[in-house]
Amino acid sequence: MEQLHRMRQLVGAVVVVMLLAACTASDPGPSPTSPAPTPGVVQGEDVAALLESYDRRNSAAIAASRKTHDPTVWLTADVGPLLRADAFDTRWDYVSGGKSPLGQLTHTGSAVYAPAAAEGEQSVIIDLTRTSTVKGNKTVRTLAIFRREDPVKDWRQFGSAVVGKGATVPAPRRGAAPALTPAERKEVLRWSERARLDLEKGKDSGLGLAAVRGELRVSGAAKFDETVSVAYPLPITDQLGPRGGVVAIPAETGVVAVVMFEAEASYRGPLTWEDRTYALTVGERPGADELTKRTVIALALHIVGATATLLGSDIDDAL
């Protein structure tokens, strides 16, 4: 009887083991979850607060520039080449007697191209919409660079390119964008330099910059004895570095890059151009036979492998 009892215990144990094995084979348990993406220095939910802060500081600078005509009031909102455009606008407002409408700008957006948080100067690209309170001013979509010197400073705008009609802008990466690969860095810098030469020399690398280059000219200026120079904002070795003129961030497909240039176009010879306000703004004598026009240029590019597409551009008079 005792032997039979032991046999029943043994059979029961074997059945339990078999059942456990069957459950294990049919139910592998919860699958490992994918690691959460590293958060970017700016995330989608942060964009509204960033732009609200910028609009507040920019609106204050607009009002102060009309009152004081001091270009340094823009230092709280903008940085880099955009400050040169601000200085032109401030001087123009003074020369023209402040007759143009004093509008305010509002920026909205949610898509942000951002690397992981890091110490030191940081840059992001924001896909945003800019609206003006001035009657007749159009609402435009731009790819804008924002920079800050360190994580506790305000974000200031470095420059922006107006997205062209029909342009297909790739979506940002989910989470922080990884660093550019050596191959991506090479292509971004190669296309940036090709764009610079297209603007300076009147070449065509397939980006379609002829219309942008045409805006470098002074209307009515003689074509002969004309020199055009186009350069990055700072003559530093690495234009993709923290203080460089090129910000490039991997997107869902390829890389989105915004490239900033500063240009000077000088003309000597008989000019039919007679814009007195412009001449006084840039410190030239109206009707003079020579003139240097200074501008800041922004180009937005989508680079996939060895191919680049122009997403948009913008050009502003500068001092």
Side-chain angles (χ1 to χ4, degrees):
M1 191 72 176
E2 183 178 349
Q3 184 177 6
L4 179 61
H5 179 70
R6 288 179 178 176
M7 288 182 63
R8 286 175 176 173
Q9 284 183 322
L10 179 61
V11 170
V14 170
V15 171
V16 170
V17 170
M18 291 177 66
L19 288 172
L20 289 172
C23 289
T24 303
S26 61
D27 182 11
S31 59
T33 58
S34 302
T38 303
V41 62
V42 173
Q43 301 176 60
E45 58 268 28
D46 303 325
V47 172
L50 185 159
L51 294 177
E52 182 181 358
S53 171
Y54 174 76
D55 284 344
R56 184 171 59 252
R57 288 177 279 117
N58 191 55
S59 294
I62 291 172
S65 67
R66 161 82 42 112
K67 184 177 180 180
T68 67
H69 300 111
D70 179 3
T72 63
V73 299
W74 295 98
L75 289 169
T76 58
D78 298 330
V79 66
L82 191 54
L83 284 175
R84 294 189 58 189
D86 292 335
F88 179 91
D89 292 341
T90 302
R91 175 71 178 172
W92 176 283
D93 189 68
Y94 171 73
V95 170
S96 63
K99 296 177 182 178
S100 59
L102 184 63
Q104 300 294 313
L105 299 176
T106 302
H107 300 81
T108 58
S110 59
V112 57
Y113 304 81
E119 295 298 323
E121 192 158 343
Q122 303 167 337
S123 298
V124 297
I125 298 172
I126 300 180
D127 186 346
L128 57 81
T129 299
R130 183 179 69 213
T131 305
S132 172
T133 59
V134 176
K135 185 178 180 180
N137 282 7
K138 294 181 179 179
T139 295
V140 295
R141 179 187 181 188
T142 74
L143 289 174
I145 299 172
F146 284 84
R147 282 186 166 170
R148 65 180 178 184
E149 297 170 357
D150 58 58
V152 300
K153 296 292 180 64
D154 288 323
W155 290 97
R156 295 182 291 173
Q157 191 173 175
F158 186 73
S160 65
V162 177
V163 176
K165 186 178 180 180
T168 302
V169 181
R173 290 285 187 98
R174 179 171 172 262
L180 297 177
T181 66
E184 288 171 335
R185 283 182 58 91
K186 181 179 178 181
E187 287 303 313
V188 169
L189 292 172
R190 184 172 73 89
W191 279 105
S192 298
E193 186 60 13
R194 289 178 74 169
R196 189 189 71 80
L197 291 175
D198 281 0
L199 293 170
E200 185 173 89
K201 307 296 184 183
K203 295 183 177 181
D204 182 9
S205 295
L207 292 174
L209 298 179
V212 180
R213 190 178 195 276
E215 293 187 57
L216 301 180
R217 292 183 48 79
V218 175
S219 176
K223 288 188 176 182
F224 67 89
D225 204 5
E226 165 190 297
T227 60
V228 178
S229 64
V230 179
Y232 300 99
L234 290 176
I236 59 179
T237 302
D238 184 10
Q239 291 298 334
L240 277 167
R243 303 191 67 194
V246 184
V247 176
I249 301 176
E252 278 298 310
T253 58
V255 175
V256 168
V258 178
V259 187
M260 299 300 301
F261 297 115
E262 296 182 350
E264 289 190 359
S266 298
Y267 305 87
R268 291 172 178 81
L271 301 180
T272 59
W273 174 84
E274 295 178 350
D275 190 328
R276 177 180 176 82
T277 302
Y278 183 90
L280 293 175
T281 299
V282 299
E284 299 283 359
R285 178 174 54 84
D289 59 358
E290 64 180 71
L291 178 72
T292 297
K293 182 177 181 180
R294 296 174 178 85
T295 53
V296 294
I297 306 166
L299 302 178
L301 306 175
H302 182 206
I303 301 171
V304 181
T307 303
T309 304
L310 181 69
L311 297 176
S313 63
D314 202 9
I315 182 168
D316 292 294
D317 288 305
L319 289 183

